Amino acid sequence: MGSKKMEGTSAPTNRRDPYEVLCVSRDSSDQEIKTAYRKLALKYHPDKNVSNPEASELFKEVAYSYSILSDPEKRRHYDSAGFEAIDAEGMDMEIDLSNLGTVNTMFAALFSKLGVPIKTTISANVLEEALNGTVTVRPLPIGTSVSGKVEKQCAHFFGVTINDQQAESGIVVRVTSTAQSKFKLLYFEQDTNAGYGLALQEDSEKSGKVTSAGMYFLHFQVYRMDSTVNALAMAKDPEAAFFKRLEGLQPCEVSELKAGTHIFAVYGDNFFKTATYTIEALCTRSYEDTTQKLKDIEAQILRKRTELRDFEIEYRKALARFQEVTNRYSQEKQTVDELLKQRDSIHSSFSVTRTVVLSNVSGSNVSNGSSSKVPVEDSRAESPAEDGGSDGKDKSAKKKWFNLNLKGSDKKLG
């Protein structure tokens, strides 16, 4: 359950003080800001000012200002440091599907299908009809449920009448869709001119095999989970998704209902098709244990959120240190590998083996690491003649005959 931004758009080129734009003071309550925004948004909405481009720009400025002041965290950041703090955090904007063309609607549907949070706003026509009191209100008795189908950017209105005893016990209104349709659960307050002004809005969230949304009026502070809070910042830093997850737990502005008839509505938020739903209203008198469990679990979640804020600081420091030592590990590993490589190279230098040198002369001998020739005596010692073999004798006889021939030749020449 909770109040959320009705409209939204990109930041104007020239930004003015959001409080000035909405004509509210800095100490205005959430309800006062919401009321001021609702009036200005209806006044400048493009649906009502088709031929007035200035109204469109004013509408964007009003929507942008409200997107800041309606979010407690962004309002606190703006109050402390202005637009710079808002820009640093990133803005989560909403789009009006009734003003989108077919192509842009298809892109928005695609991004939503891929898991990108796409915030949508309520059609100005629906809000204006409610404000004028021209909507059809169907009865929804306590303890009953109603199923139906609502067209996209349209709403079905229901009146829930409660007595004093039921109001004191607590009231819950829930909507579910087994078709996993996208919708909004809306709560309207009686306006002075017999119309209905939007007070609370809860977007459907997927839970298991269904989508659901609920509003809980239990006489104590209850919270709603807005999964789109800080969506842009989380997209830039995936690790922040965990730490920012509980930041989406936002306090609901209304915690109890008085006796009387209260107006709720189911708004079709699908991009193209109708939304199927079942809405039910019940008194929590017979749900005392469940009510206490909800109170306890939300208190635990709030404590855990505070713990996570502190743990994130500790984690970021540890992560930075881890990255530092990881970088050093890589450097040290590279250094050790290089030192061992050099050591192996030095070891390999201790060897009698030299690089083989080949002579350019044909038939030259290969030396054993030395450029000097082998002595003749060593060659003789290894020759077969020394072994006394027949081959040795033949070579010796030929040598003697060769020498005699030479001598005889010399005499003739003389």
Side-chain angles (χ1 to χ4, degrees):
M1 180 194 87
S3 171
K4 296 180 66 175
K5 299 182 279 297
M6 291 162 54
E7 317 273 353
T9 183
S10 57
T13 305
N14 299 318
R15 294 183 289 187
R16 290 192 296 153
D17 181 3
Y19 294 100
E20 178 185 344
V21 173
L22 297 182
C23 302
V24 294
S25 62
R26 287 186 170 268
D27 58 354
S28 297
S29 66
D30 293 338
Q31 189 59 45
E32 289 172 335
I33 292 173
K34 187 184 306 177
T35 301
Y37 164 72
R38 188 162 59 230
K39 291 179 180 179
L40 291 172
L42 287 174
K43 179 180 179 181
Y44 296 121
H45 199 283
D47 287 353
K48 300 180 63 178
N49 300 273
V50 179
S51 59
N52 186 359
E54 292 183 3
S56 178
E57 292 302 316
L58 288 171
F59 174 78
K60 292 179 181 179
E61 187 177 43
V62 168
Y64 178 74
S65 299
Y66 183 66
S67 69
I68 296 174
L69 301 186
S70 63
D71 187 305
E73 186 177 359
K74 288 172 184 169
R75 183 180 180 182
R76 177 170 56 83
H77 287 164
Y78 176 80
D79 289 342
S80 63
F83 286 117
E84 290 184 0
I86 300 299
D87 294 338
E89 286 296 316
M91 294 296 293
D92 303 320
M93 297 302 171
E94 297 182 348
I95 57 176
D96 184 353
L97 293 179
S98 62
N99 284 333
L100 290 182
T102 303
V103 175
N104 289 334
T105 302
M106 290 178 64
F107 275 112
L110 175 61
F111 282 121
S112 178
K113 194 73 174 178
L114 293 175
V116 178
I118 301 293
K119 290 186 176 183
T120 57
T121 185
I122 303 169
S123 169
N125 293 333
V126 171
L127 296 175
E128 188 174 11
E129 289 176 2
L131 204 57
N132 293 334
T134 58
V135 295
T136 300
V137 179
R138 311 174 191 179
L140 178 63
I142 291 292
T144 65
S145 64
V146 174
S147 298
K149 292 184 178 182
V150 58
E151 295 292 331
K152 60 185 179 70
Q153 287 84 62
C154 295
H156 289 173
F157 288 77
F158 298 90
V160 179
T161 302
I162 58 176
N163 56 36
D164 290 329
Q165 189 176 18
Q166 291 170 332
E168 185 179 352
S169 299
I171 301 297
V172 171
V173 177
R174 294 187 73 247
V175 181
T176 57
S177 173
T178 55
Q180 300 185 8
S181 298
K182 289 186 63 179
F183 58 85
K184 299 178 188 292
L185 174 60
L186 312 176
Y187 171 65
F188 292 83
E189 293 178 336
Q190 190 77 34
D191 205 56
T192 54
N193 60 352
Y196 309 109
L198 180 63
L200 302 175
Q201 171 182 326
E202 178 72 12
D203 285 26
S204 61
E205 295 282 350
K206 187 176 181 180
S207 177
K209 296 182 179 180
V210 302
T211 50
S212 64
M215 294 186 178
Y216 306 85
F217 307 93
L218 304 174
H219 298 280
F220 58 83
Q221 182 65 70
V222 292
Y223 296 81
R224 62 179 178 83
M225 180 60 75
D226 183 358
S227 61
T228 60
V229 169
N230 297 320
L232 294 180
M234 285 164 29
K236 294 177 182 178
D237 181 8
E239 287 187 348
F242 168 70
F243 292 105
K244 299 298 184 183
R245 185 176 181 183
L246 296 184
E247 297 298 333
L249 198 69
Q250 304 292 324
C252 300
E253 290 84 351
V254 181
S255 59
E256 61 183 70
L257 297 178
K258 295 181 180 179
T261 300
H262 298 272
I263 307 301
F264 296 86
V266 180
Y267 179 82
D269 207 24
N270 279 335
F271 288 99
F272 297 106
K273 59 184 181 179
T274 60
T276 61
Y277 67 89
T278 298
I279 182 171
E280 57 183 340
L282 56 89
C283 175
T284 60
R285 184 187 311 163
S286 58
Y287 294 87
E288 293 182 359
D289 291 343
T290 305
T291 300
Q292 186 60 43
K293 287 179 181 179
L294 176 62
K295 187 175 183 179
D296 292 342
I297 197 66
E298 289 194 339
Q300 293 180 40
I301 292 174
L302 291 174
R303 289 194 297 270
K304 181 56 66 176
R305 181 171 66 180
T306 302
E307 293 175 7
L308 283 180
R309 288 170 179 170
D310 296 334
F311 175 58
E312 182 177 12
I313 298 175
E314 180 183 348
Y315 172 80
R316 297 293 182 186
K317 290 180 179 178
L319 182 61
R321 176 58 180 161
F322 172 76
Q323 291 174 340
E324 179 183 343
V325 297
T326 300
N327 291 337
R328 181 178 175 182
Y329 171 84
S330 299
Q331 294 172 359
E332 296 290 4
K333 183 177 183 299
Q334 184 177 358
T335 301
V336 168
D337 289 343
E338 183 61 30
L339 290 173
L340 292 176
K341 183 178 179 181
Q342 293 180 19
R343 179 174 177 270
D344 290 342
S345 179
I346 294 172
H347 281 174
S348 65
S349 298
F350 291 100
S351 174
V352 295
T353 303
R354 294 289 187 267
T355 305
V356 175
V357 179
L358 297 178
S359 173
N360 290 330
V361 182
S362 177
S364 61
N365 294 325
V366 179
S367 64
N368 187 20
S370 175
S371 60
S372 60
K373 296 182 179 179
V374 179
V376 178
E377 290 80 6
D378 295 341
S379 180
R380 287 176 180 175
E382 295 174 1
S383 66
E386 296 295 322
D387 295 335
S390 59
D391 291 341
K393 291 181 179 180
D394 291 342
K395 288 181 180 179
S396 179
K398 290 179 180 179
K399 189 174 183 181
K400 290 179 181 180
W401 175 81
F402 181 73
N403 289 337
L404 288 175
N405 239 358
L406 284 176
K407 291 178 181 181
S409 299
D410 290 341
K411 288 179 181 181
K412 291 181 180 180
L413 288 172

